[in-house]
Amino acid sequence: MDSFIIQFIVNSIFPWLIFSGLVYVCSSYITKHDNTSPGIWWSALIASFLPFIPLSLGTINIPIPDFDYISSSLQSAQIVKQASITHVSLQKIDLISTALIVGYFGFTCLKLVKLLLVWQKLKSLTRSSELINELSTSKVKIVISSQNHSPFVIGITTAYVVLPDYFSSLNKDQQGILIQHELTHITNKDHITILLWRILSIVLWINPFVKKMEWQFIRAMEHRCDRHTICRFNLNKHDYAKALLQSLKKSIQFSNNNPVAQFNSAVLCADDYKARLSNIASPSSKSKLALTFKFSLMILVIFSLHTFLKDPAMTGKLTWQHPLNSHTISSTFRSISKVRGYKPHRGIDYVAQRGSPVLSAADGVIVISGNKTLHSNYGNTVLIQHKSGYQTLYAHLESSDAKVGSWVKAGQVIGIIGDTGKTTGVHLHFEVIKDNQRVDPSLVLVTKS
């Protein structure tokens, strides 16, 4: 469970899925009777990534300890690079993690290839369609195909309005309405936006709420397009609704996976068309400012709840404990001894039986683990970064399975007591560092929170 991918799934993906679900459900609720603002769903998508914002440990600047604390052969840049690793481990990725990576990228590539094939199929249909010269411009081309599909817009640099075969059987007013609707899509860049949403929903396929947000965006986009088309071309609402119904009756809908702006989107159901016709007849008069306020308040409440429920190592006070359960203390902080050349002791020495487990004194992140980073006198050493600028150091360990970048809880085993490095016997040398200054560990360990 210490591999990067497993930690990333547990610490980031799961909270993201839960948070995205809450954002989607709440956004759907507040737009239930007024889903006419596509921007809300862009905001919802962006807001769903809020759990990835680091709240505490991610903003800590891990200091460079003074040079008598580090092997003189070590470049300071190397220690900064290693100590700056926080939530992730760049070391060992196990077989399960590799399978997850390959599976994710393999499935994503497969879905992208399918999207490309659909795009090419639609482009082929467009190229084989008949051009209406009198309505086309250098930026917009209008063509009529030989199939009875929903009218749609496709293209990036040049937009193509692709009309169905039944277009010629409509009266002039209805023909104009279909074309004007698609031209409004082009004005709003909806054909490009739909393609972008489709790519995002494929890349983020592990989150089903992204696809649901895309469909809600399409619903809101069509409501907006109806409203803008009627206002822009000063159309009769009854005639516009009638043209919509005629197109709906005659069209054979494409799959809802098509990355195009369609007059009759396959994403829409019967209830959606009822709501669409209602909005055409009686446009919503609700204030967009009120909707924006509700959405912002919703995001604030959800994110505050998410922050409150996160690991107390991120949001609460540090809870300290001794690094050994059963021990005696052989040397206290700042004690003087001939063994240390009469220099003040910079930590506490704990004595316990060989093989006793060494525990993390508080929640934090492993930033150093091994016997090569710090001075050889320390032997096998673990350095943990905590919040509020605290670090703890555990030296002379017999062994340690702690991996750089992994999270540890207070009381979690990080190694085995030993006598590696320069030592007179089996013991644990324990230091507490606050903003690059040694502090008396006994003052911290008696703190209750």
Side-chain angles (χ1 to χ4, degrees):
M1 291 295 289
D2 287 326
S3 71
F4 162 54
I5 297 300
I6 301 299
Q7 289 184 62
F8 183 72
I9 290 174
V10 173
N11 296 331
S12 298
I13 297 299
F14 286 166
W16 176 46
L17 292 174
I18 295 171
F19 192 84
S20 299
L22 288 174
V23 169
Y24 173 76
V25 170
C26 293
S27 298
S28 298
Y29 178 77
I30 66 174
T31 61
K32 184 177 181 180
H33 302 293
D34 187 25
N35 189 17
T36 59
S37 299
I40 288 292
W41 295 104
W42 275 118
S43 301
L45 177 65
I46 295 171
S48 69
F49 285 91
L50 287 177
F52 289 101
I53 297 177
L55 300 178
S56 178
L57 282 171
T59 62
I60 290 176
N61 294 318
I62 300 176
I64 306 174
D66 46 341
F67 283 104
D68 61 338
Y69 177 65
I70 305 175
S71 172
S72 60
S73 63
L74 186 68
Q75 296 291 331
S76 61
Q78 291 176 315
I79 185 66
V80 171
K81 181 178 179 180
Q82 182 172 0
S84 296
I85 299 174
T86 53
H87 297 279
V88 299
S89 171
L90 302 180
Q91 295 181 334
K92 182 180 178 182
I93 298 180
D94 57 26
L95 185 60
I96 296 177
S97 300
T98 303
L100 290 173
I101 293 174
V102 173
Y104 168 77
F105 284 104
F107 193 66
T108 301
C109 290
L110 178 62
K111 291 173 75 69
L112 287 173
V113 169
K114 288 183 177 180
L115 177 66
L116 180 60
L117 292 176
V118 172
W119 180 266
Q120 291 298 332
K121 181 180 179 180
L122 294 174
K123 291 291 288 185
S124 177
L125 175 65
T126 302
R127 287 191 294 266
S128 64
S129 299
E130 179 183 354
L131 180 67
I132 302 179
N133 293 315
E134 62 270 19
L135 297 177
S136 300
T137 67
S138 59
K139 295 285 186 179
V140 179
K141 304 293 184 182
I142 301 179
V143 298
I144 299 179
S145 76
S146 59
Q147 299 181 22
N148 285 329
H149 51 73
S150 171
F152 66 89
V153 178
I154 190 172
I156 299 176
T157 56
T158 301
Y160 284 84
V161 176
V162 184
L163 300 170
D165 183 56
Y166 65 78
F167 176 80
S168 58
S169 66
L170 301 175
N171 62 47
K172 290 295 183 181
D173 290 340
Q174 292 175 340
Q175 289 180 352
I177 288 173
L178 260 62
I179 293 175
Q180 289 159 353
H181 179 92
E182 301 307 325
L183 291 178
T184 302
H185 273 312
I186 294 173
T187 301
N188 293 330
K189 306 294 184 184
D190 290 337
H191 57 301
I192 296 176
T193 308
I194 287 294
L195 179 61
L196 180 59
W197 266 102
R198 191 54 42 84
I199 293 173
L200 285 173
S201 65
I202 287 176
V203 174
L204 304 175
W205 62 266
I206 57 175
N207 189 339
F209 298 105
V210 174
K211 171 64 87 175
K212 291 180 179 294
M213 290 179 189
E214 177 197 352
W215 289 353
Q216 291 285 15
F217 171 85
I218 292 174
R219 292 182 175 97
M221 178 193 72
E222 291 299 339
H223 284 298
R224 180 187 65 181
C225 189
D226 291 336
R227 183 176 67 251
H228 286 185
T229 303
I230 292 172
C231 294
R232 179 185 177 191
F233 296 99
N234 194 25
L235 300 175
N236 180 278
K237 295 177 181 178
H238 176 76
D239 293 340
Y240 185 90
K242 188 175 180 180
L244 174 63
L245 290 173
Q246 285 295 319
S247 178
L248 181 62
K249 290 176 181 178
K250 294 177 178 292
S251 295
I252 300 174
Q253 289 183 334
F254 283 142
S255 166
N256 56 20
N257 290 321
N258 285 336
V260 294
Q262 307 175 65
F263 189 77
N264 303 324
S265 175
V267 170
L268 305 181
C269 63
D271 289 339
D272 294 320
Y273 282 109
K274 290 179 182 178
R276 192 172 169 184
L277 292 170
S278 297
N279 275 317
I280 291 172
S282 302
S284 174
S285 59
K286 294 182 180 179
S287 170
K288 300 302 177 187
L289 183 62
L291 182 62
T292 302
F293 175 77
K294 289 180 182 179
F295 179 81
S296 301
L297 182 62
M298 174 203 73
I299 295 299
L300 180 62
V301 170
I302 295 177
F303 187 62
S304 299
L305 179 63
H306 163 77
T307 303
F308 179 77
L309 294 177
K310 280 186 72 70
D311 195 319
M314 292 290 288
T315 58
K317 294 182 179 180
L318 285 175
T319 300
W320 294 91
Q321 69 166 63
H322 286 280
L324 285 163
N325 287 326
S326 178
H327 62 269
T328 58
I329 295 177
S330 62
S331 181
T332 58
F333 184 71
R334 290 196 176 279
S335 63
I336 304 297
S337 171
K338 181 179 179 179
V339 175
R340 289 183 289 273
Y342 300 102
K343 293 181 180 180
H345 194 212
R346 301 200 293 182
I348 291 180
D349 287 345
Y350 289 88
V351 178
Q353 291 184 348
R354 183 184 294 274
S356 298
V358 176
L359 315 175
S360 174
D363 298 351
V365 180
I366 306 293
V367 293
I368 292 177
S369 179
N371 59 4
K372 299 185 182 299
T373 303
L374 304 183
H375 198 285
S376 59
N377 287 354
Y378 284 94
N380 289 325
T381 308
V382 170
L383 181 69
I384 301 177
Q385 177 71 51
H386 311 283
K387 67 175 297 182
S388 303
Y390 279 100
Q391 297 170 318
T392 51
L393 179 141
Y394 312 76
H396 309 309
L397 301 177
E398 182 67 28
S399 62
S400 174
D401 292 329
K403 292 180 173 57
V404 172
S406 61
W407 282 94
V408 290
K409 300 281 189 179
Q412 183 174 331
V413 176
I414 59 172
I416 301 298
I417 195 171
D419 57 358
T420 58
K422 185 178 180 180
T423 175
T424 57
V426 175
H427 75 284
L428 170 69
H429 174 75
F430 175 72
E431 295 183 11
V432 175
I433 306 155
K434 167 69 171 174
D435 298 328
N436 207 26
Q437 299 293 324
R438 270 65 172 188
V439 298
D440 187 351
S442 63
L443 298 178
V444 175
L445 296 175
V446 297
T447 301
K448 303 296 182 182
S449 53

